[in-house]
Amino acid sequence: MRIDVITIFPEYLSPLELSLIGKARREGLVDLHVHDLRQWTLDRHRTVDDTPLGGGAGMVMKPEPWAAAFSAVREAGQAVVGGDTEPLIIFPNPAGAPFAQSTAQEWSQCEWLVFACGRYEGIDERVYQHLSDIGCEVALASLGDYVLNGGEVAVLAITEAVVRLVPGVVGNAESLVEESHSDGLLEYPLYTRPARWTDPAGVLREAPPILLSGDHGRIATWRQEQSLARTRQRRPDLLAPADGDTAVS
Ligand code: 6GU
């Protein structure tokens, strides 16, 4: 998988050199490039923003550097992934569609992702129109209902969620099957040795005996029940049918 990130804060993405993603990059499973948007400015001050037309607070990112950036990044990427391959262009944005495990699954199958990190109040709307006019697939993705200062932190989160699903990145693929959200439920509680543990307050805490029974069928059933109970308590919204999903007779 190829990933390009366009940002005015390239250093913000340096954690992508660490841990699992860093290893995936070194092993050639992920070809990740971070670009400074300001390299596509033409003025002495390397300006990427201006005041909003029509007035209002804050600043808006200018269209010209973004159009030049996409053009250059597409061309450089196509030289590697193939001339008729188009990337999925992802704009982290609090007004986007909620990013979920299902989104991560879908995007982990993509050959090429380009992340465009907006800052300030946002990017000039004509950039989105231009990209869809030239046939690019564009997605707006949100991490949740709160506001970050820019897309960089969201790119760290989304990249981690996506890249760990790329085949070969996580050593034990089975560990991806039973985790929270992979089947729409939260994960069951986990225990390890010692099975009998006295905590620092002097309380003896025993792991559920069923986990020591060796009966894999009953353990699987118990875990399923625990997942369901935990989801009902912490995230009832995951069990309720979404608004608008109810059949109309
Ligand atoms: Cl993806 N971007 C920004 N700027 N704020 C957010 C977000 C994304 N998701 C939640 N808040």
Side-chain angles (χ1 to χ4, degrees), residues 11-190:
E11 319 85 78
Y12 229 119
L13 283 305
S14 56
L16 296 177
E17 285 161 25
L18 305 176
S19 187
L20 183 128
I21 298 174
K23 184 160 171 277
R25 292 173 74 178
R26 291 190 296 276
E27 288 174 354
L29 295 168
V30 175
D31 183 21
L32 194 150
H33 302 261
V34 178
H35 312 272
D36 186 344
L37 177 68
R38 290 191 201 275
Q39 71 185 277
W40 291 289
T41 57
L42 299 171
D43 64 311
R44 199 158 56 84
H45 300 290
R46 312 222 292 165
T47 311
V48 293
D49 63 333
D50 203 341
T51 54
L53 290 177
M59 300 293 273
V60 176
M61 295 192 100
K62 295 164 64 60
E64 308 96 312
W66 279 113
F70 288 124
S71 169
V73 167
R74 278 173 76 226
E75 194 168 329
Q78 280 174 339
V80 177
V81 300
D84 31 53
T85 305
E86 284 293 340
L88 172 63
I89 302 180
I90 302 166
F91 292 88
N93 191 310
F99 177 77
Q101 189 64 21
S102 54
T103 328
Q105 291 281 6
E106 187 186 324
W107 291 352
S108 71
Q109 320 271 313
C110 292
E111 198 175 340
W112 184 13
L113 304 175
V114 174
F115 289 101
C117 298
R119 282 259 151 185
Y120 314 110
E121 301 310 305
I123 300 172
D124 189 300
E125 189 67 21
R126 292 167 293 181
V127 172
Y128 308 106
Q129 296 166 341
H130 160 65
L131 289 174
S132 59
D133 272 6
I134 63 173
C136 289
E137 213 191 323
V138 170
L140 265 67
S142 167
L143 291 191
D145 296 335
Y146 48 83
V147 176
L148 304 170
N149 285 332
E152 287 78 8
V153 165
V155 168
L156 292 176
I158 293 171
T159 300
E160 182 153 320
V162 168
V163 167
R164 64 194 292 284
L165 300 178
V166 170
V169 169
V170 167
N172 180 4
E174 259 180 52
S175 68
L176 301 175
V177 174
E178 297 213 343
E179 63 195 4
S180 289
H181 298 296
S182 58
D183 62 355
L185 297 178
L186 304 185
E187 196 178 35
Y188 49 79
L190 298 167

Side-chain angles (χ1 to χ4, degrees), residues 186-202:
L186 304 185
E187 196 178 35
Y188 49 79
L190 298 167
Y191 298 85
T192 186
R193 277 167 289 281
R196 293 164 52 87
W197 172 60
T198 303
D199 77 11

